[in-house]
Amino acid sequence: MIRVGILGAAGYTGGELIRLLINHPEAEIVFANSESNADNPVAEVHEGLYGDCDLKFTSEMPFNEVDVVFFCFGHGKSEAFLREHTIPENVKIIDLAQDFRLAAPGNDYVYGLPEINREKIAKAQHVANPGCFATCIQLGLLPAASMGLLTEDVAVNAITGSTGAGQKPTSTTHFSWRMGNMSIYKAFSHQHVPEIKQSLRQVQGQLDVDIDFIPYRGDFARGIFATEVVKTDKPLEEIVEGYKAFYKDARFTHYVDKAIDMKQVVNTNKALVHCDKFGDKLLITSTIDNLLKGAVGQAVQNMNIMFGLDEAAGLNLKSSAF
């Protein structure tokens, strides 16, 4: 049994992680840390867990009692936490923030995208879980990179649900602003672009192009739907064959022969990808649930790999068309 600790357990990702782990056949939650909610029942914050969970939040962090700890912090807080606290060397860490995603001297965190780093994750002590937009966009582009197709700038548009902004209300997440509305933010400057380029460079060998990414806020709670446009003369049939070959052993990422939609993946750990060709333009669509394959579902997938379990343990989640 894997003994688990969760830091930052009161947010959206913390709640989703608890939901997965209380049903995981090989995991036991030892502590769910939240300073502001200490001693309160978890189900009073994550109300979807009423009747499923009798855990209480704690201010304690007994790292010597766990095998792995999940960091469900906001960006920048993981690195700061580790400067002030010591976690035993034998305890594995899975960080859901962006603090350790980029390779750098002294950074031993493996980038946790199983589709390209499964063997490294299996040997890792520390894993940096990918960002939600980054996961969706990379899974759309990585097979193209493996075929050497990314030789010109790539145009990317993607829309995400309000949960991608976290649980704390802001001027762009409350219902009356978000409902029936759309907007652009961080155009061409989103923080996930460097990790996207890092993975594409890893697979293609080199990358001398820009990823021109325009993110959109959507008027729905969860999910990401992305389009990526790549210029290439390669026939569609060969491209599709390459995509299917790239993902033939991927447990959760699937190439689909017809147009995809976001509801096919919401509430699952799946990623779906589809390609169309218009002249010399390859249109790729990809979609994930931002809280699952884009966050804690992938984190549990990484935990399973790190501990030698079935990759899909605790992740047998089914989507609905309605």
Side-chain angles (χ1 to χ4, degrees), residues 108-310:
D108 70 341
Y109 281 69
V110 170
Y111 188 68
L113 192 70
E115 287 76 6
I116 58 172
N117 286 334
R118 183 177 287 101
E119 292 183 4
K120 293 179 181 178
I121 294 166
K123 300 175 183 177
Q125 189 67 14
H126 302 144
V127 165
N129 216 60
C132 52
F133 268 134
T135 296
C136 189
I137 294 165
Q138 287 175 90
L139 293 177
L141 290 174
L142 284 168
S146 73
M147 291 180 270
L149 302 183
L150 307 185
T151 58
E152 298 187 42
D153 292 354
V154 179
V156 178
N157 290 272
I159 185 168
T160 186
S162 59
T163 53
Q167 193 172 32
K168 186 177 180 180
T170 70
S171 61
T172 59
T173 59
H174 66 76
F175 178 82
S176 59
W177 188 90
R178 197 99 177 194
M179 184 63 182
N181 199 8
M182 279 186 64
S183 63
I184 289 172
Y185 70 109
K186 297 182 180 178
F188 303 105
S189 61
H190 196 278
Q191 67 271 16
H192 287 182
V193 171
E195 63 182 282
I196 294 169
K197 295 181 76 171
Q198 176 177 260
S199 293
L200 296 176
R201 190 176 297 113
Q202 174 185 332
V203 170
Q204 187 164 280
Q206 62 177 15
L207 189 75
D208 299 319
V209 304
D210 286 331
I211 305 298
D212 294 331
F213 174 34
I214 302 178
Y216 296 82
R217 303 179 182 95
D219 69 340
F220 49 91
R222 59 196 300 162
I224 292 177
F225 190 88
T227 61
E228 302 94 17
V229 179
V230 174
K231 280 195 172 184
T232 177
D233 292 326
K234 196 174 188 70
L236 179 60
E237 293 77 11
E238 292 183 26
I239 293 170
V240 170
E241 183 179 337
Y243 267 72
K244 290 181 177 180
F246 192 88
Y247 289 128
K248 65 181 176 63
D249 296 323
R251 193 64 178 268
F252 292 103
T253 301
H254 310 283
Y255 182 85
V256 180
D257 285 319
K258 61 181 183 179
I260 58 176
D261 61 76
M262 196 176 68
K263 276 193 174 182
Q264 293 166 327
V265 300
V266 168
N267 292 314
T268 80
N269 198 51
K270 291 188 294 187
L272 300 184
V273 182
H274 174 72
C275 294
D276 286 303
K277 194 88 186 295
F278 302 88
D280 66 347
K281 295 182 178 65
L282 172 65
L283 172 62
I284 307 158
T285 51
S286 51
T287 187
I288 64 169
D289 184 308
N290 60 295
L291 290 176
L292 291 170
K293 184 59 175 168
V296 299
Q298 187 154 242
V300 171
Q301 184 181 358
N302 283 325
M303 180 192 76
N304 291 339
I305 295 170
M306 294 168 80
F307 286 91
L309 302 180
D310 180 345

